[in-house]
Amino acid sequence: MASITLSNLGKNYGGGGNAVTGVNIDIQDGEFIVLVGPSGCGKSTLLRMVAGLESISEGEVRIGDRVVNQIEPADRDIAMVFQNYALYPHMSVRQNLAYGLKNRGTPKAEIERRVNEAAEILQIGAFLDRKPRALSGGQRQRVAMGRAIVREPAAFLFDEPLSNLDAKLRVTMRLEIKQLQRRLKTTSIYVTHDQLEAMTLADRLVVLNGGRIEQIGTPLDVYRRPASTFVAGFIGSPAMNLIDARAVPHLPGTAHAGTVGIRPEDLTVAPDGPIEMQVMAVEELGAQRLIHGLTGGEKITTTLPSDAPLTDRMRLSFRREQLHLFQRETGRRLD
Amino acid sequence: MKRTIFNNKLLPWLLLAPQLAITFVFFLWPAAQAIRQSFLRQDAFGTRTTFVGVENFRRLLNSPEYLNSLQVTAIFAISVTILSMGLALLLAVAVDRMIKAQRVYTTLLVWPYAVAPAVAGILWWFIFNPTIGIIPYMLAQVGYNWNHVGNPAEAMTLVVIASAWKQISYNFLFFLAGLQAIPASLREAAAIDGAGPVRRFFDITIPLLSPTTFFLLVVNIVYAMFDTFAVIDTTTRGGPAQGTNILVYKVYFDGFVGQNMGSSAAQSVFLMLIVITLTVIQFRYIEKKVAY
C-alpha cells in the first residue's frame, strides 16, 4: 500500500521532441488511476517510467516516501500486468506465479500459501500445473493478474491488459479487475486507449495528449466538464459535437466562444429548437439511433430513441447548461 | 497447396529426372559402392578382389588406430561444438543488447562464414606456424614454446580453433534470431519479478533458446565430424602421431593414400550410420522434446 507521486516528470528519447512533458499526478493510497489517450500520447512511457523500465529524463517518481528514480524495477515494490501477459512460456502456471516470490527468497510454505490464495481469488486453481500455451486468452489474463497479486506489492501497473481479448471477455475482465482492486485496495495505475474502459474502471482519469496532461478528474467530472476540445472529443461515445461558433451564431451565450460543444445524447427533437439539422445518415443501434447530419455546414450527430420519427430536416433543442464553450486558439474550456 | 494433375504419366518423371539423376549419381550410387566395397578386399596390386564378409568391420573395431580415431573425433567434435556455440552465444547476446550498430556488427561477424574451409585452415596454419606465426611468437615472449607439428594436444587446439572460428558466424546468426524472437516484455516481467541480469539469462533466455540450441548442437556436431576435412588437410594432415586423425580424414587417408579400399569403405559405412542417427535425432526430437 502506498501513494505514488509524479512530479514534473519528463521523458526525452533524444533526437528532438519529448515523449512526456511536465507530468504531475498525486495518486492516493488505494486509488485506481487510469491513464487514457490516443496512441503515442505517452501513457505507456509514463507507466514504464513508474515501473522502472524506462529511465527518467526529468522530474521524479515517488512510491510511498521513497524517490525511486534510481531504483531497479525489482526493488520498487510494484507489479505489472503486460499487454501480451508476458507469461514465462516454459514454466507452469504455478511456477509463473511463484517466480517473483522465489527470487526474493520467500519461504516455500509462504509461496505455497500465497499462490493458492491467488489461484482461489482468480479461479485458476484447476490449471496450476498447465503451461500458459494450454490456456485460453482469458485464463492467461488471470494468470498475469495472479502473478501481480501474489507479490502483494505497493502498486499494480496495468499496461493495456485487456486489449488482446475479444469484446465480450473484455467486459467481463474489466468488471473483475475493478472488483479485485476494490477488494485488495492496492494503488493501481492502468493504461488504456479505450475511453469506455477508462470511464468504468477509474477512480480518477488522467487524459493525456502529446505527452502532456489535458485533464485529471473523476470520470463524471471529465465527462461533464471536459477541460479542452481534445478531452471533449475523446471521452464519451459517440463523441461530443464540436461546432465552430461562427456556424451557429444564434445560439445563446456563444458570443466569446471559438468552439461550441454539445453531446449527441443531450440533443432532443423539438419543433422550435435552435438547431436545424439536415439528416445525412442514420445508424441503427437497436434501442437508439445515431443520426448524422449538417448544421450551418458543420457536422453534427445526435442519438435519438429508435421510435422517434425521422425526417430529412429536424430541429433540435438542448438545455443551456449542457452547452460546453471552448476558446478558439487554445481549445481550453471557457467557464 | 496447389495441386496440378498431369494426364501424361511420363511428364512428372521427366520433370523429376534431373534431380533424381543427380541424387543417384552423386549420392545413391557412391553409397551403394561403398557398402559393396566394405565387404570386399583387394590384394596389394589391385588384381584380385575377394569377398570377405564382415571381416573389414571386424578388423576396424579391433584396430587400436581406428578406436583412437573415434576418440579423437569425439574430443574434436565436442570441443568445436562447445567453443563455436559458446562464443557465438556470447557475441549474439552482446549484439542483441546493442541499439545502434547492430547491423554493422552482425554483418562483420557473418563474414568468416564466407571463407572456404581450406582457406580458413591455411589462415590459421599461418597464424599458428611455429616459425613465422604471430601467436607462437607471442607465446614465446611469455616463455611458452608452441609447436603443433610435434605436440598432438597443440595440434588438436589448432584444428579446433580453425574449425570453430568458421562456424561461429553461422551459430551467431541463429542465436541472434533466437534472442530477438524472445519478447522484451518477458525479460521486463522477470526484471520486475526480482531477477537480476544473470538470473534472467539463465531462467528466461536460455530455456527459451533451447530449440535453437538443440538444432545448432546437431548441426555443429555434423559439421565438426564431416565438414572439417579441408581444415585438417591444410593444417595437420591428421598428425602428429594420429593426434588429429578424425574419422573423415582417416577414410580419405586409408582409402586414397593407403589404397586400402575395403577398410576405407567400411569406415564410410560407419560414418553413414552416424549421419543417419544424427538426422533421425534431429527430425524426431527437434520439434517435440525441446519445445517449451
Side-chain angles (χ1 to χ4, degrees), chain B residues 115-129:
Chain B
V115 177
V119 178
I122 300 275
L123 188 74
W124 287 96
W125 182 82
F126 271 120
I127 293 175
F128 275 100
N129 189 297

Side-chain angles (χ1 to χ4, degrees), chain A residues 48 84 88 90 99 104, chain B residues 185-186 188 192-193 199 203:
Chain A
R48 292 169 60 84
N84 61 3
Y88 311 123
H90 55 297
Y99 187 65
R104 286 176 171 77
Chain B
S185 61
L186 281 183
E188 290 171 353
I192 291 176
D193 265 344
R199 188 164 217 158
D203 282 357

Side-chain angles (χ1 to χ4, degrees), chain A residues 42-73:
Chain A
K43 54 192 190 298
S44 280
T45 307
L46 205 53
L47 189 77
R48 292 169 60 84
M49 283 160 84
V50 176
L53 300 172
E54 295 280 355
S55 63
I56 294 167
S57 314
E58 290 162 29
E60 64 177 34
V61 174
R62 272 172 185 279
I63 299 177
D65 45 16
R66 285 193 305 168
V67 175
V68 296
N69 283 30
Q70 301 300 327
I71 294 178
E72 288 293 316

